[in-house]
């Protein structure tokens, strides 16, 4: 998922790529994986994962433009511009029958995009959210390695566990939410 964010004062440009958000369970069974190779998103979605079932979408208050530039070692990613505080990427999956749920993804920002995010989950369709952690991403710009379609270069990789809280649930929502406009 590669997100581009762009522009002025309260809105920044973020190229926030979640290349292959992977949601797993015990014994490394894949519940869902988004690489955005099949969907090649140019709208907010929702989009089905390439592996498993669920949905992914962008949630932006402004008129974001969605695109699908090269990802981190992949041909496509999920990208949006015009990000503001509170804008997010959302993923929903069914974990019934699965335990020890975890997820992993790669993410980056443009040189002017926000770097501060929160990883949250919801078990009630987004009515309330619980924060797992806050984190920072690096810019997809020098001096950092640049993402391209053929060579993975992780600027942010995180593998948190949601074991216990997301196990065996009919609907689990994951949110990557922009916390501020610091680039």
């Amino acid at each position: 998922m590669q997100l581009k964010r762009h522009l002025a004062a309260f809105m920044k440009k973020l190229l926030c790529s979640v290349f292959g958000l992977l949601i797993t369970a015990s014994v490394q069974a894949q519940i869902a994986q988004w690489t955005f190779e099949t969907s090649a998103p140019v709208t907010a979605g929702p989009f089905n994962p390439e592996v498993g079932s669920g949905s992914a979408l962008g949630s932006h208050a402004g008129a974001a433009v969605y695109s699908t530039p090269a990802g981190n070692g992949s041909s496509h990613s999920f990208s949006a511009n015009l990000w503001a505080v509170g804008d997010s990427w959302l993923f929903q999956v069914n974990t019934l029958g699965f335990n020890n749920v975890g997820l992993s993804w790669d993410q980056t920002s443009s040189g002017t995009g926000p770097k501060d995010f929160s990883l949250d989950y919801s078990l009630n369709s987004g009515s309330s959210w619980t924060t797992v952690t806050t984190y920072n991403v690096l810019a997809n710009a020098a001096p950092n390695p640049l993402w391209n379609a053929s060579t993975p270069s992780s600027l942010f990789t995180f593998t948190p566990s949601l074991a216990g809280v997301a196990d065996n649930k009919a609907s689990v929502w994951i949110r990557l939410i922009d916390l501020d406009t610091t680039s």
Side-chain angles (χ1 to χ4, degrees):
M1 201 169 108
Q2 183 163 334
L3 317 166
K4 286 185 181 177
R5 308 201 215 209
H6 179 272
L7 228 50
F10 297 103
M11 296 182 189
K12 298 277 184 167
K13 182 172 184 177
L14 167 74
L15 190 145
C16 167
S17 182
V18 176
F19 160 69
L21 180 83
L22 177 62
I23 300 176
T24 59
S26 56
V27 264
Q28 294 302 324
Q30 285 189 2
I31 297 171
Q33 182 178 19
W34 286 266
T35 64
F36 302 104
E37 298 302 310
T38 303
S39 57
V42 293
T43 67
F47 300 103
N48 295 325
E50 278 74 13
V51 175
S53 63
S55 65
L57 61 136
S59 176
H60 291 72
V65 174
Y66 294 90
S67 62
T68 183
N72 189 17
S74 66
S75 298
H76 299 285
S77 62
F78 197 7
S79 179
N81 66 359
L82 300 175
W83 283 72
V85 173
D87 289 350
S88 63
W89 298 110
L90 300 165
F91 301 88
Q92 183 277 325
V93 294
N94 176 327
T95 66
L96 287 174
F98 293 99
N99 292 309
N100 298 317
V101 173
L103 59 135
S104 65
W105 73 97
D106 292 335
Q107 184 174 348
T108 190
S109 171
S110 70
T112 59
K115 67 177 177 97
D116 301 320
F117 286 84
S118 177
L119 164 65
D120 303 337
Y121 72 89
S122 175
L123 303 177
N124 56 15
S125 299
S127 295
S128 63
W129 294 93
T130 300
T131 298
V132 175
T133 191
T134 58
Y135 61 95
N136 308 108
V137 296
L138 295 175
N140 190 35
N144 301 319
L146 300 178
W147 281 18
N148 63 64
S150 59
T151 307
S153 177
S154 184
L155 298 173
F156 173 81
T157 301
F158 191 56
T159 309
S161 172
L162 298 176
V165 298
D167 293 352
N168 202 36
K169 305 289 187 214
S171 183
V172 176
W173 284 84
I174 306 297
R175 174 175 75 173
L176 308 175
I177 185 168
D178 180 13
L179 296 177
D180 60 40
T181 57
T182 304
S183 60

